Amino acid sequence: MRIRRTWSRGAAALLSSGFVLAASGIAAPTVLADPGPLGPVAAIPAQGTPSLGPSGTTEQIRQLTACGGTMYAVGSFTEISQNGVTYPVSNVISFSETAPYTLNSWAPAVNGTVNTIGFASGNCADAYIGGNFSSVGGVPAKDIAEIDTTTGQLVPTFETRASGQIETILGYNNHLLVGGYFKTINGNDTDHYMASLDPVTGKDDGFIQLNISGNYQFPGSGTNPTRVYNQQLSRGGTLDLVEGDFTSVGGQGRQQIFMLDLSGATAQVTGWSSPEWDGSQGNLPFGYPYQCHGNEAFYLQAASWSADDSTIYIATTGYHPWNLQAGSYPRSGLCDAAAAFPSTQTEVTHLWVNYTGCDSLYSTAADASTAYFGGHERWSTNANGCDYAGPDAISAPGMEGLSPAGGDLTFNPTRARGLGADDMLVTDQGLWIGSDNLKGANRCGNRKGYSGICLLPYSS
């Protein structure tokens, strides 16, 4: 899905770029000049943000991002409402990042789901979209396109041909890092599932050459095709977390997630991984329950960086480990959980895990005070229940804010569960949450009227 941008734009100012080599030989985080807002955000949402319209069908915001004071929202939706007025749209909108969050007339006509939107080198004049579509403004474009953010029209110099749907686009320097289900993209058939494209031509520029392959096989596992699904750039700006369904990346064994170092001439897979998800130490009883329920074999679907880049937070689906019964307590493994791991570029194990009680999490973001997680969960701190509240469970529908130090629930504004909060984004304005309108879901911070888009603001 998408690139889950989970850091404040203000965090781009650094004392130095990239990561520095620690005395141990393991890369350590740089000190950030601006780690972003302290937080936490307010529990009451900002008034006046756009919302999904009353279409009567289930529609969804897949991703939110910001560029040049404008918010962009993409997904699968046909109507957007603001201040009592409903407007017809086609899966892409933009609006002011600050109050009164004015909806722009810019509305590209994309004829299918848009999963992701990105920008290159800080250029907000052109947006790059990816998803499952075949035209923009009536002009053929297969799953990837560049669109003018003034006219909404397709930029014809950028090639638009992918063999499978695009899930995530990230702009890094003069590269577009693109991931999805494709094996060929804009004429290149060597960089399967993830490629780096020239932002002008759309051609593969050779920055990423990872030879991604494999998928998850274990007793009872269902269909889980190889793909790249999501990515998040570090606040330091040179490391990229990538989630997806694969078993080999850059010639190294990797499952669920890997970290790329972007600071060199080509992107390189770092040593960061964990036996808790990659199977490098085997399964129980001597290893870890690293495989989840067969219907959710790919479960680590979102991640975020801490304010100082020292910690990585993960949000997972998965129900429960395939080789443990649903009633095996206390829960172990990483299925249906929020968790924190060190970002040191070596094999790591968790700092803490907070279980939902067998409900999925799909998104995460963080500021200096809080690690935020969203999904369709009912509870937090529920290691002793599965589809019911066990001892110590705390009601926390739709989202939760956890302590970076220990994973305890510290922020509990609640939101409508729906399909689940599919995206979270921290900007200087606050925490933006992208979701859906399943069965009329529209509550955020226990307030009505926030179907699909909600901003929990920072205090002014």
Side-chain angles (χ1 to χ4, degrees):
M1 185 167 21
R2 305 89 56 175
I3 163 176
R4 305 282 191 255
R5 266 135 327 251
T6 49
W7 54 290
S8 166
R9 289 175 295 111
L14 310 177
L15 291 177
S16 61
S17 62
F19 270 37
V20 295
L21 193 64
S24 64
I26 297 172
T30 54
V31 176
L32 304 183
D34 180 3
L38 176 63
V41 295
I44 298 175
Q47 296 182 357
T49 51
S51 64
L52 295 173
S55 67
T57 61
T58 299
E59 300 193 329
Q60 186 177 31
I61 302 295
R62 301 302 307 276
Q63 185 198 334
L64 293 159
T65 194
C67 193
T70 298
M71 292 296 301
Y72 295 83
V74 299
S76 178
F77 50 89
T78 59
E79 294 179 340
I80 288 292
S81 295
Q82 189 174 45
N83 300 323
V85 180
T86 297
Y87 305 90
V89 293
S90 299
N91 308 308
V92 181
I93 60 166
S94 68
F95 55 95
S96 173
E97 188 181 356
T98 56
Y101 312 107
T102 304
L103 190 67
N104 295 326
S105 59
W106 180 79
V110 185
N111 74 338
T113 300
V114 180
N115 293 320
T116 182
I117 184 168
F119 297 86
S121 302
N123 174 27
C124 301
D126 297 288
Y128 301 87
I129 60 171
N132 187 10
F133 53 83
S134 60
S135 69
V136 177
V139 180
K142 185 65 174 70
D143 296 340
I144 188 167
E146 179 183 0
I147 49 178
D148 187 300
T149 57
T150 300
T151 66
Q153 298 300 305
L154 198 69
V155 177
T157 54
F158 186 87
E159 292 201 35
T160 58
R161 296 173 293 129
S163 65
Q165 70 183 44
I166 303 299
E167 294 284 353
T168 174
I169 297 175
L170 167 65
Y172 170 73
N173 288 347
N174 200 34
H175 308 284
L176 292 176
L177 311 187
V178 179
Y181 288 72
F182 60 86
K183 286 192 173 182
T184 63
I185 186 165
N186 292 344
N188 178 278
D189 61 0
T190 59
D191 296 321
H192 300 171
Y193 312 114
M194 188 172 189
S196 176
L197 306 183
D198 183 291
V200 176
T201 65
K203 290 289 190 180
D204 192 305
D205 61 19
F207 182 64
I208 286 181
Q209 301 173 44
L210 298 177
N211 194 27
I212 295 172
S213 64
N215 65 342
Y216 308 133
Q217 301 293 326
F218 55 90
S221 60
T223 302
N224 58 101
T226 308
R227 75 266 202 192
V228 165
Y229 184 70
N230 204 350
Q231 58 182 325
Q232 305 83 25
L233 188 66
S234 65
R235 295 173 186 257
T238 62
L239 295 174
D240 187 24
L241 296 172
V242 183
E243 296 86 59
D245 195 327
F246 36 71
T247 57
S248 179
V249 181
Q252 302 185 48
R254 291 290 184 271
Q255 296 189 34
Q256 303 286 340
I257 185 171
F258 61 90
M259 182 192 292
L260 283 179
D261 182 349
L262 307 178
S263 63
T266 58
Q268 300 294 319
V269 179
T270 75
W272 181 82
S273 191
S274 175
E276 294 187 58
W277 63 69
D278 68 15
S280 59
Q281 295 184 21
N283 222 312
L284 296 175
F286 305 111
Y288 296 87
Y290 69 94
Q291 295 161 326
C292 293
H293 192 273
N295 290 336
E296 299 179 69
F298 166 48
Y299 57 86
L300 202 166
Q301 298 189 359
S304 63
W305 295 84
S306 66
D308 62 359
D309 277 349
S310 67
T311 304
I312 291 167
Y313 305 110
I314 64 169
T316 74
T317 66
Y319 190 33
H320 62 81
W322 73 269
N323 56 342
L324 295 177
Q325 296 298 316
S328 176
Y329 304 122
R331 176 69 66 230
S332 61
L334 297 174
C335 312
D336 281 351
F341 286 79
S343 65
T344 48
Q345 293 175 31
T346 186
E347 190 169 83
V348 297
T349 55
H350 71 263
L351 301 170
W352 51 256
V353 181
N354 185 313
Y355 294 97
T356 64
C358 296
D359 286 336
S360 295
L361 297 174
Y362 300 112
S363 57
T364 174
D367 56 28
S369 75
T370 309
Y372 305 99
F373 297 86
H376 62 213
E377 77 276 21
R378 289 164 284 182
W379 304 285
S380 180
T381 319
N382 194 16
N384 292 288
C386 185
D387 289 326
Y388 66 88
D392 301 322
I394 302 171
S395 177
M399 70 170 294
E400 60 185 356
L402 305 181
S403 163
D408 300 317
L409 183 69
T410 57
F411 180 67
N412 191 10
T414 76
R415 52 167 296 279
R417 295 174 64 217
L419 291 171
D422 206 37
D423 195 21
M424 286 183 161
L425 168 70
V426 167
T427 73
D428 293 335
Q429 303 306 311
L431 174 66
W432 294 89
I433 305 164
S435 59
D436 60 89
N437 63 354
L438 177 69
K439 297 181 180 179
N442 69 1
R443 284 185 174 270
C444 183
N446 206 27
R447 300 292 195 277
K448 291 183 178 180
Y450 296 90
S451 176
I453 299 174
C454 176
L455 169 63
L456 298 180
Y458 289 113
S459 300
S460 57

